[in-house]
């Protein structure tokens, strides 16, 4: 007599991956149509990799990592892309009358029967992560079936060929769609189309690092660029000057905004597309990875009724996410919040958001002036770019408004100098500024392949120099989930300068930045390097990542 299989929840509790309390919460939260595993993943109680290990043990079905798996591409004609996407599966290999497939849910017997009837093969199942299957479908099922037709054609764009880049069934149109969809599925922040001497390189920026996705023949460049220009309402016949545009599309039921920039180079036009998920909601401030001390100080700063709070850092350092998280914390029916942004990256319920439009004369400064006539309590300006915007922001803070904004400087203390250099009088900077947050993003260690090891001598020296002790550091070995990089996702590190009465006096007396820094150290300011090293100690990231973005003195 067969021993009855244990339920997944009991197996997870027995293996120590889940507590009884967590299991009860998941069972209460689970929707009738949802599987327990999906609920546990949503609640963050378990990783997909750990869940698969339990399924492998429970069902006796092998797990397969699709990263660099030698998938037989001839099988793609047997299993259609629609079937693969609908049932979250990918064909792997064929042996006589058996078809081996990887599935995210090997218990989906309807999908297995459907595949058996449509292909005529006996189906042998293995388990893979949903993400692995998404990546494999995106990689192997090319939307462009007739790539040879593309390569054989005269692809130098001419105005009379406009139908070729507007017809939805055109290979070029399908290729561009595929490129954007693959980038979105890989959670890329930017798509780079780089013309080289003999080919065109497509690169995606994932977790802040650029990596090559694929290469095309050089003759395809003109048509690809023309298609992107048509989507973003740019002049398709102008290729001698840079152009900027925007594309709005829907992917996987999400509204996606692409900021497009073209640049003439010696080998042709380079295109960069920044991907903004405008349909997503702002992150909870408690999940922004603030050090407890910094979190407490930041909340005190944004809860003041007046003053300016600035977030600083380079492009792509998560400044907007921190701003939106602060707005989410402050958002309530009894306050009037108005923002002026370029572009509006997240939609916030109950917040009045204004889009900058330079072509119609709606600049940051004009938008800010108009906002102040709308009786706001809290004003958010996407970026302080010029003296005029800075002056209006200062005036607004001094007349009873809380102003949140971003500015480009290297650290929190140099923001004071930057405002003075923009023409703001030191006494106005001192009177209006409540605090500055400097922020960077570092790659997070992949939780699936994370291991602990002894720190190197160099690491020990770096920690000791900052007054910290380290006994072990975490590293990612590299696995299919993280594309063998050892990192997956990003985490923020912060430096928070609170402008108190002592620092205000120093600003008004034109004291040097070094003197202000000494006072900040005395008051327990946690600098970028320190916050980064604390996160290394906590096992979130590596010393190399912290040193990549923060200067060690």
């Amino acid at each position: 007599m067969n021993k009855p299989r244990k339920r997944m929840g009991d197996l997870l509790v027995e293996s120590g991956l889940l507590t009884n309390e967590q299991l009860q919460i998941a069972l209460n939260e689970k929707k009738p149509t949802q599987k327990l595993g999906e609920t546990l993943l949503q609640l963050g109680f378990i990783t997909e990799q750990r869940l698969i290990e339990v399924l492998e043990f429970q069902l006796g079905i092998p797990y397969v990592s699709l990263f660099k798996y030698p998938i037989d591409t001839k099988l793609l004609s047997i299993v259609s892309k629609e079937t693969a996407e609908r049932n979250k599966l990918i064909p792997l290999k064929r042996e006589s009358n058996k078809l081996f497939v990887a599935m995210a849910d090997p218990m989906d017997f309807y999908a297995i029967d459907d595949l058996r009837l449509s292909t005529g093969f006996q189906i042998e199942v293995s388990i893979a992560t949903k993400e692995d299957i998404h990546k494999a479908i995106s990689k192997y099922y090319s939307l462009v079936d007739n790539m040879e037709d593309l390569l054989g054609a005269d692809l130098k764009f001419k105005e009379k060929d406009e139908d070729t880049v507007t017809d939805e069934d055109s290979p070029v149109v399908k290729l561009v769609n595929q490129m954007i969809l693959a980038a979105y599925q890989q959670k890329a922040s930017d798509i780079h189309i780089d013309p080289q001497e003999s080919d065109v390189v497509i690169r995606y920026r994932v977790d802040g690092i650029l990596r090559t996705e694929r290469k095309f023949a050089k003759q395809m460049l003109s048509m690809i660029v023309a298609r992107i220009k048509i989507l973003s309402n740019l002049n398709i016949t102008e290729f001698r000057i840079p152009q900027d545009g925007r594309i709005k599309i829907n992917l996987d039921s999400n509204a996606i905004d692409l900021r497009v920039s073209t640049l003439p180079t010696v080998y042709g036009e380079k295109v960069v597309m920044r991907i903004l998920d405008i349909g997503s909601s702002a992150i909870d401030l408690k999940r922004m990875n603030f050090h407890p001390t910094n979190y407490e100080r930041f909340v005190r700063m944004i809860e003041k009724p007046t003053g300016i709070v600035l977030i600083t850092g380079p492009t792509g350092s998560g400044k907007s996410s921190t701003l939106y998280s602060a707005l989410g914390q402050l958002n309530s029916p009894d306050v009037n919040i108005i923002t002026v942004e370029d572009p509006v990256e997240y939609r916030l319920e109950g917040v009045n958001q204004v889009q900058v439009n330079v072509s119609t004369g709606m600049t940051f400064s004009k938008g800010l002036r108009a906002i102040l006539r709308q009786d706001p309590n809290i004003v958010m300006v996407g970026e302080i770019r010029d003296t005029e915007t800075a002056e209006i922001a200062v005036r607004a803070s001094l007349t009873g408004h809380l102003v949140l904004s971003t500015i480009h400087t290297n650290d929190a203390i140099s923001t004071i100098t930057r405002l003075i250099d923009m023409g703001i009088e030191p006494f106005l900077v001192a009177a209006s500024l409540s605090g500055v947050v400097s922020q960077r993003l570092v790659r997070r260690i992949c939780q699936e392949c994370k291991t602990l090891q002894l720190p190197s001598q160099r690491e020990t020296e770096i920690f000791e120099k900052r007054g910290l002790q380290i006994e072990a550091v975490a590293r990612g070995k590299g696995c299919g989930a993280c594309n063998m990089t050892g990192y997956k996702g990003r985490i923020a590190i912060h430096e928070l300068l609170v402008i108190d009465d002592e620092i205000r006096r120093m600003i008004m007396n034109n004291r040097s930045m070094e003197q202000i820094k000494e006072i900040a150290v005395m008051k327990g300011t946690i600098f970028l390097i320190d916050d980064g090293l604390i996160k290394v100690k906590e096992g979130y990231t590596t010393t190399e990542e912290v040193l990549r973005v923060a200067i060690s003195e």
Side-chain angles (χ1 to χ4, degrees), residues 24-44:
Q24 285 308 313
I25 291 168
L27 289 169
N28 292 335
E29 292 276 332
K30 189 172 83 71
K31 295 172 186 170
T33 56
Q34 199 175 34
K35 291 172 182 170
L36 178 63
E38 290 176 357
T39 309
L40 291 169
L41 288 173
Q42 278 180 5
L43 293 169

Side-chain angles (χ1 to χ4, degrees), residues 433-452:
L433 197 60
S434 295
V436 185
V437 178
S438 181
Q439 180 170 310
R440 301 288 187 280
L441 291 178
V442 291
R443 288 184 291 171
R444 185 195 285 263
I445 296 167
C446 174
Q447 298 301 299
E448 309 292 354
C449 59
K450 180 177 168 181
T451 58
L452 291 176

Side-chain angles (χ1 to χ4, degrees), residues 444-511:
R444 185 195 285 263
I445 296 167
C446 174
Q447 298 301 299
E448 309 292 354
C449 59
K450 180 177 168 181
T451 58
L452 291 176
Q453 54 186 250
L454 291 171
S456 66
Q457 188 180 343
R458 170 74 177 137
E459 281 179 310
T460 307
E461 288 170 2
I462 290 166
F463 274 83
E464 284 176 353
K465 193 175 178 183
R466 305 300 301 186
L468 298 166
Q469 297 295 319
I470 186 79
E471 292 175 3
V473 292
R475 290 268 190 286
K477 289 188 297 185
C479 63
C482 61
N483 284 334
M484 302 308 288
T485 60
Y487 298 99
K488 189 177 180 186
R490 289 190 288 179
I491 188 172
I493 61 173
H494 305 93
E495 172 179 304
L496 195 147
L497 178 69
V498 178
I499 310 296
D500 60 10
D501 291 340
E502 193 170 353
I503 292 178
R504 282 195 177 91
R505 280 195 298 272
M506 297 189 82
I507 295 169
M508 286 192 283
N509 293 330
N510 287 318
R511 295 292 172 85

Side-chain angles (χ1 to χ4, degrees), residues 374-438:
Q374 292 282 318
D375 184 33
N377 299 98
I378 299 165
V379 175
M380 192 269 264
V381 187
E383 187 183 341
I384 292 178
R385 293 179 182 171
D386 52 48
T387 304
E388 190 180 5
T389 309
E391 284 174 346
I392 302 166
V394 167
R395 205 176 307 133
S397 73
L398 294 174
T399 53
H401 304 90
L402 174 66
V403 180
L404 306 176
S405 189
T406 69
I407 193 167
H408 284 280
T409 57
N410 289 328
D411 56 37
I413 294 173
S414 62
T415 304
I416 297 166
T417 313
R418 174 86 178 109
L419 288 170
I420 294 168
D421 287 346
M422 289 175 89
I424 310 298
E425 292 291 340
F427 75 91
L428 288 176
V429 173
S432 60
L433 197 60
S434 295
V436 185
V437 178
S438 181

Side-chain angles (χ1 to χ4, degrees), residues 34 36 54 64 75 104 160 164 173 237 247 335 380 475 517:
Q34 199 175 34
L36 178 63
V54 174
V64 60
L75 299 174
K160 64 183 175 61
T164 315
V173 171
T237 58
I247 303 172
V335 292
M380 192 269 264
R475 290 268 190 286
K517 188 170 184 178

Side-chain angles (χ1 to χ4, degrees), residues 159-197:
E159 204 164 348
K160 64 183 175 61
D161 297 330
E162 192 167 326
D163 287 348
T164 315
V165 290
T166 53
D167 181 5
E168 289 300 319
D169 293 324
S170 159
V172 173
V173 171
K174 289 182 176 179
L175 176 62
V176 172
N177 290 345
Q178 180 197 5
M179 198 186 298
I180 295 169
L181 180 62
Y184 176 72
Q185 287 175 341
Q186 292 183 38
K187 297 181 171 62
S189 60
D190 301 87
I191 304 169
H192 287 242
I193 300 168
D194 294 329
Q196 308 292 328
E197 189 172 5

